[in-house]
Amino acid sequence: MTHRIESIRHADGVVELQLDRADKMNALDPAMFAALIEVGEKLQHDTTVRAVVIAGRGDAFCAGLDMQSFQGMGEGIGADLLARSHGLANAPQQVAMVWRQVPVPVIAAVHGVAFGGGLQVALGADVRIVAPDTRMSVMEIKWGLVPDMAGMVLMRELARTDVVRELTFTGRIFSGEEALRIGFATRLAADPLAEALQMAHEIAGKSPDAIRAGKRLLNAAMSLGAAELLMAESIEQQALIGSANQAEAVNANMARRAPSFADPVA
């Protein structure tokens, strides 16, 4: 348990992260920013993790920036946004981008509201399971700002550019049902957390080597050209074929039994 996030580890390697600031609708303050980055970066090096689920306690996934923090921007919060403190990103951007860097699938279970920075955290996940009545918004324009927690990088791969522009310019609130139509939601569910955990447990039963290779390729697909990506496919596949976990996947399927996979090598 960090100051803002409870981490629940399931027996099969699924890690459930609960944003634990329900009295503030899990709004982002400096402590929540730090906790998300800390937990995400720790998970990058944990070879026992098979899948991650991010959810919010109480009535919301995340209501975005805490107003008190927002008012403090003029007193130094966010003043050094040009510093690249986390590779290509600054610290606020890392709050969303860190989930792409976690080497296993990350599933966001979204309910209640996901506004502004809260929406961008959800967009950083690989998959979003969303309640139909969830209220979502690219809300930064309301405060005279632009999305700056990697939203521009993440939104462009999910929705048409005119849709992203309209939501950015208006800041209007849209539903989980609309999020599915435009590409911000992967699937709708009355109980997003239950469905996200079910998916995570299913993923945990697959070869962890193949799952991690798949995520590396999917991340690379956003920036590599065809020739580079085709070679990346071949490199990953050649490393998998004949490996212990690949052989176990074949043997388990042939024997119609549950597989027993080894943790990946660090």
Side-chain angles (χ1 to χ4, degrees), residues 19 25-26 54-56 59-63 108-114 118-119 121-122:
L19 279 61
M25 299 181 75
N26 300 312
I54 306 175
D59 296 329
F61 177 75
C62 178
V110 185
H111 77 291
V113 302
L119 174 60
V121 171

Side-chain angles (χ1 to χ4, degrees), residues 197-259:
L197 285 170
Q198 180 179 347
M199 181 183 294
H201 290 306
E202 180 180 351
I203 291 168
K206 312 296 185 185
S207 168
D209 294 335
I211 291 291
R212 287 169 178 248
K215 181 155 181 177
R216 286 193 295 269
L217 285 171
L218 289 164
N219 284 344
M222 301 311 300
S223 59
L224 295 183
E228 296 168 302
L229 190 55
L230 288 168
M231 179 57 74
E233 282 185 4
S234 300
I235 291 170
E236 294 286 2
Q237 193 77 316
Q238 186 159 300
L240 289 170
I241 292 173
S243 65
N245 278 338
Q246 195 267 324
E248 172 61 10
V250 172
N251 292 335
N253 274 292
M254 295 296 289
R256 300 191 180 189
R257 60 170 173 80

Side-chain angles (χ1 to χ4, degrees), residues 63-218:
L65 193 65
D66 181 87
M67 281 302 299
Q68 190 173 16
S69 297
F70 173 78
Q71 292 167 351
M73 284 178 68
E75 301 170 9
I77 296 176
D80 193 18
L81 294 179
L82 300 185
R84 304 292 94 179
S85 55
H86 295 78
L88 299 177
N90 64 25
Q93 292 164 339
Q94 183 70 354
V95 172
M97 290 301 292
V98 71
W99 309 111
R100 296 300 174 92
Q101 297 159 8
V102 171
V104 299
V106 178
I107 306 163
V110 185
H111 77 291
V113 302
F115 291 158
L119 174 60
Q120 291 170 86
V121 171
L123 296 181
D126 298 289
V127 174
R128 281 154 298 284
I129 310 298
V130 181
D133 60 353
T134 300
R135 298 164 66 227
M136 309 171 86
S137 172
V138 185
M139 192 167 274
E140 284 77 8
I141 193 64
K142 178 178 180 179
W143 310 112
L145 299 169
V146 295
D148 71 331
M149 289 175 56
M152 292 301 181
V153 171
L154 299 168
M155 289 189 291
R156 71 179 181 181
E157 71 179 55
L158 298 172
R160 294 194 332 243
T161 182
D162 60 318
V163 173
V164 173
R165 289 167 187 259
E166 183 257 330
L167 295 175
T168 300
F169 296 152
T170 66
R172 70 175 176 83
I173 295 172
F174 55 96
S175 69
E177 292 180 337
E178 183 175 355
L180 180 65
R181 291 197 299 272
I182 66 177
F184 281 6
T186 309
R187 185 185 301 176
L188 299 182
D191 187 341
L193 179 56
E195 181 125 350
L197 285 170
Q198 180 179 347
M199 181 183 294
H201 290 306
E202 180 180 351
I203 291 168
K206 312 296 185 185
S207 168
D209 294 335
I211 291 291
R212 287 169 178 248
K215 181 155 181 177
R216 286 193 295 269
L217 285 171
L218 289 164

